[in-house]
Amino acid sequence: MEIQLNGEPYQISDGCTAAELIAQLDLSGKRLALEVNQEIVPRSLYADHRLHAGDCVELVHAIGGG
Amino acid sequence: MQHDPLIIAGVEYQSRLLVGTGKYQDMAQTREAIEASGAEIVTVAIRRTNIGQEPDQPNLLDVIPPSRYTILPNTAGCYTAADAVRTCRLARELLDGHDLVKLEVLGDPKTLYPDVSATLVAAEELVKDGFKVMVYTSDDPLIAKRLEAMGCVAVMPLAAPIGSGLGIQNRYNILEIVENATVPILVDAGVGTASDAAIAMELGCDGVLMNTAIAEARDPVLMATAMRQAISAGRNAFRAGRMARKRYASASSPLAGTFF
């Protein structure tokens, strides 16, 4: 199924969880924040949070800024 | 040296210089400059994670670890109150519930001047949501008071436009803001060189937040050192109380006892 990941279409398997998506992206253990359809998903819920087709997923991190 | 901490939201800091992490050549330079600045509070921006790029590329928060620095996420690039609030909520999740944020809502890409009315809306919502808000604003004394009354933990008027390096353009407004405040006032944006930082501190500001003045210096690490010294010198001069300005000379050597 297709989701929007950071503004781009992205294919994941049906029933994929947030934790599985993050693992698939090689980002497990990185300091990130996750938002699905503009709702924050706390890190502690990644393993339980199932994604759905059409979900808008934002994965953000800290970068240099003033 | 007397104990003279900067206190923001009940937390004591020894350094009155706050620095950004943007515009550096690389992570090594970022780390070195921030170390030289002596800053304890360091701003970061929140952006999309790169997908499918080098997984081993260094992460800013490995270079500036939250265990050592107070990370101050900003809302740079936000032009609406809603975007700014959303950014702060993501930052709080990213930083495990850390709720100190730098709010800025911009109004115009050319000047990066704050949209003050949107800033007020965002500040109110963030304070209600439990954030400790350090707010970037114009050098308007009335707005500074309003932001303080709303519960912002620090008010941060600009000295000049962000990244302009023009120095303090309206020192009487900054002075007015400082004299009326009951929360820390930090000059945020517009500082160009060490003397600008010293002037802000001599006016009685509680601190200065800067990024470009250090990052775009020919030698950022040396400029970071200069800024640390300027903040400290300016603060000491403010506490010492400067002499009165006089129109005419006043001899420093006694007139009595001359033999000529």
Side-chain angles (χ1 to χ4, degrees), chain B residues 12-137:
Chain B
E12 276 193 18
Y13 301 93
Q14 304 316 309
S15 171
R16 292 174 178 273
L17 173 57
L18 288 69
V19 296
T21 51
K23 301 181 179 173
Y24 287 100
Q25 262 168 28
D26 52 33
M27 291 287 182
Q29 192 186 55
T30 309
R31 190 189 57 238
E32 253 189 286
I34 286 165
E35 181 124 10
S37 77
E40 296 163 273
I41 302 178
V42 175
T43 64
V44 302
I46 306 299
R47 292 291 181 269
R48 283 174 167 162
T49 303
N50 295 321
I51 302 297
Q53 291 194 352
E54 288 291 303
D56 296 329
Q57 72 182 178
N59 184 310
L60 180 64
L61 294 182
D62 295 333
V63 175
I64 311 294
S67 53
R68 176 162 169 209
Y69 294 96
T70 296
I71 304 297
L72 182 63
N74 69 25
T75 62
C78 291
Y79 282 82
T80 65
D83 284 347
V85 170
R86 185 179 169 199
T87 301
C88 288
R89 289 188 176 133
L90 278 165
R92 181 165 62 183
E93 164 62 17
L94 181 71
L95 296 168
D96 305 317
H98 170 80
D99 51 14
L100 188 70
V101 291
K102 171 182 159 176
L103 170 65
E104 55 181 295
V105 186
L106 303 173
D108 165 48
K110 184 175 171 188
T111 59
L112 295 180
Y113 224 66
D115 179 334
V116 168
S117 49
T119 300
L120 290 164
V121 171
E124 186 167 32
E125 190 162 345
L126 288 168
V127 169
K128 209 185 298 170
D129 197 8
F131 284 95
K132 299 184 178 83
V133 180
M134 299 177 69
V135 58
Y136 166 68
T137 186

Side-chain angles (χ1 to χ4, degrees), chain A residues 5-8 10 25-27 30-35 38 40-44 46 58-66, chain B residues 20-22 43-51 55 59-61 66 74 76 86 89-90 93-96 102 104 209 211:
Chain A
L5 174 61
N6 286 2
E8 303 283 341
Y10 190 84
L25 295 168
D26 258 342
L27 294 171
K30 301 273 183 196
R31 199 180 264 277
L32 299 167
L34 170 69
E35 203 190 62
Q38 299 213 15
I40 287 173
V41 179
R43 204 164 300 147
S44 57
Y46 287 176
E58 293 288 346
L59 268 173
V60 302
H61 66 160
I63 63 156
Chain B
T21 51
T43 64
V44 302
I46 306 299
R47 292 291 181 269
R48 283 174 167 162
T49 303
N50 295 321
I51 302 297
N59 184 310
L60 180 64
L61 294 182
N74 69 25
R86 185 179 169 199
R89 289 188 176 133
L90 278 165
E93 164 62 17
L94 181 71
L95 296 168
D96 305 317
K102 171 182 159 176
E104 55 181 295
L209 199 167
N211 189 152

